[in-house]
Amino acid sequence: MVANLPAIALMKYIYSITCIAGLLVFISVEITSAQIMRIGVKAGPQLSWVAGDDPKYNSVATVRPTTGFHAGLVLAFKVKDRYFLNTELIYSQKGKRVEGKIDPNLRDKVVYNHIDVPVLFSMHFKGSLTKERQFKWYINAGPTTSYWLGGKGVIKSGDLIENGLSELKYKIAFGTRPDHNNADILYIKDAKRLQFSMSIGGGILLEPANRQKVMIDFRYDIGHTRIGTPESSQFMVPADYQDSLKGRNKGIRMSLIYLFEFSSDRKERNKGKSSIKK
């Protein structure tokens, strides 16, 4: 399969695999040497959209954000002093809402399902509300690798209304449409299912109990990979509408993260414990 790729595509493929492999090796080495590790879960809402690069499509439709949610696992470990390296495994809902400029009845809301793996470097700072009440805040940034699982949507248009349909619910399948059946399946050819983006953000870290952390996290994801081409999306109906996937996923997330802290350092493990012998 690799031998049939064009030279530029082959270089991108090799570069992507090399970056991922190097990143995994780096993470495994750091985890082995880390003395403080945090493991937990996260969940929260998100707002996402597709930033289009197709002028022809932008002249007939307006793309707006849509809401979704994300949830998954979090692993963080201390690299040095106030610096942490965080990685996550997340199920994420992305998508867009489309409103027609030429067809006033056109409305298309689609949700894309993804598995996201962000790797973020964090820098922590101390803050205080009063002399007795303190908290920590942080900033972070790093790459995110995503895999496009599929999705579903619902579309309305003037063509559907003329054919006696108020709306059409559809599911996404990858590949070329094999026949003229199953109008409720949207086939997407030449989809870029492996996607890369840059994530930046920050938040507040609270400590409700010993060895337990609560984080309120805010993040902005900037897609790097175009998810498809102007001809990728193959609707059978409506016949007068052609979606364009020449664009990049972007989004804003808010997460609630709950972490349990573990340490291989004896001094760190004994913090908060009484030294009085019974």
Side-chain angles (χ1 to χ4, degrees):
M1 184 181 76
V2 174
N4 295 328
L5 292 173
I8 296 178
L10 180 60
M11 290 176 64
K12 290 183 178 179
Y13 178 82
I14 295 174
Y15 174 77
S16 301
I17 296 299
T18 302
C19 288
I20 294 173
L23 192 58
L24 291 175
V25 171
F26 175 76
I27 291 173
S28 63
V29 171
E30 289 294 335
I31 289 177
T32 303
S33 60
Q35 291 184 328
I36 296 178
M37 184 181 301
R38 297 169 179 171
I39 300 174
V41 295
K42 68 177 298 183
Q46 65 186 45
L47 191 69
S48 61
W49 64 95
V50 177
D53 299 330
D54 186 357
K56 183 178 179 181
Y57 180 75
N58 293 339
S59 66
V60 299
T62 300
V63 176
R64 301 192 184 279
T66 188
T67 56
F69 76 94
H70 63 279
L73 305 175
V74 181
L75 172 64
F77 49 92
K78 189 175 182 179
V79 178
K80 184 180 179 181
D81 297 330
R82 57 181 178 173
Y83 298 96
F84 281 77
L85 182 61
N86 304 347
T87 185
E88 303 166 357
L89 180 64
I90 306 170
Y91 167 76
S92 173
Q93 289 185 332
K94 305 174 185 180
K96 63 180 180 179
R97 289 189 300 113
V98 175
E99 298 178 0
K101 293 181 179 179
I102 297 177
D103 180 0
N105 296 303
L106 177 61
R107 297 289 186 274
D108 182 21
K109 181 179 180 181
V110 58
V111 175
Y112 304 132
N113 301 323
H114 283 73
I115 293 294
D116 294 345
V117 183
V119 178
L120 308 177
F121 285 92
S122 301
M123 181 184 297
H124 290 229
F125 305 89
K126 291 184 178 179
S128 59
L129 298 174
T130 63
K131 291 183 179 181
E132 294 78 19
R133 301 182 64 182
Q134 295 184 342
F135 66 95
K136 293 180 181 179
W137 62 278
Y138 62 91
I139 56 175
N140 55 25
T144 295
T145 302
S146 300
Y147 187 74
W148 190 359
L149 299 173
K152 61 182 180 179
V154 56
I155 187 169
K156 304 176 182 180
S157 77
D159 185 38
L160 288 173
I161 293 174
E162 290 178 1
N163 285 276
L165 296 173
S166 59
E167 63 181 28
L168 175 67
K169 296 181 180 180
Y170 61 89
K171 295 182 179 179
I172 290 175
F174 296 102
T176 303
R177 179 174 289 279
D179 50 43
H180 293 286
N181 300 321
N182 301 316
D184 60 342
I185 299 179
L186 171 61
Y187 283 88
I188 298 179
K189 63 177 183 178
D190 303 323
K192 304 298 189 296
R193 300 185 68 180
L194 184 63
Q195 303 169 11
F196 300 93
S197 62
M198 184 68 182
S199 300
I200 57 175
I204 298 173
L205 187 147
L206 305 173
E207 299 176 331
N210 189 34
R211 303 297 179 195
Q212 297 180 38
K213 315 291 181 183
V214 174
M215 302 171 69
I216 302 173
D217 186 80
F218 299 91
R219 193 172 302 172
Y220 177 40
D221 296 326
I222 308 169
H224 173 73
T225 307
R226 284 177 175 167
I227 64 177
T229 67
E231 296 80 23
S232 292
S233 183
Q234 297 181 312
F235 274 107
M236 196 166 76
V237 288
D240 60 349
Y241 172 63
Q242 178 66 52
D243 192 10
S244 175
L245 299 182
K246 186 180 178 182
R248 300 168 174 85
N249 283 318
K250 291 188 177 183
I252 301 171
R253 301 183 182 185
M254 183 181 75
S255 308
L256 181 64
I257 306 174
Y258 199 96
L259 300 172
F260 293 93
E261 185 173 277
F262 303 90
S263 176
S264 59
D265 188 309
R266 186 173 181 180
K267 292 182 179 180
E268 289 290 336
R269 291 200 306 267
N270 291 333
K271 279 185 178 181
K273 294 183 179 179
S274 174
S275 60
I276 301 176
K277 293 183 180 181
K278 295 182 179 179

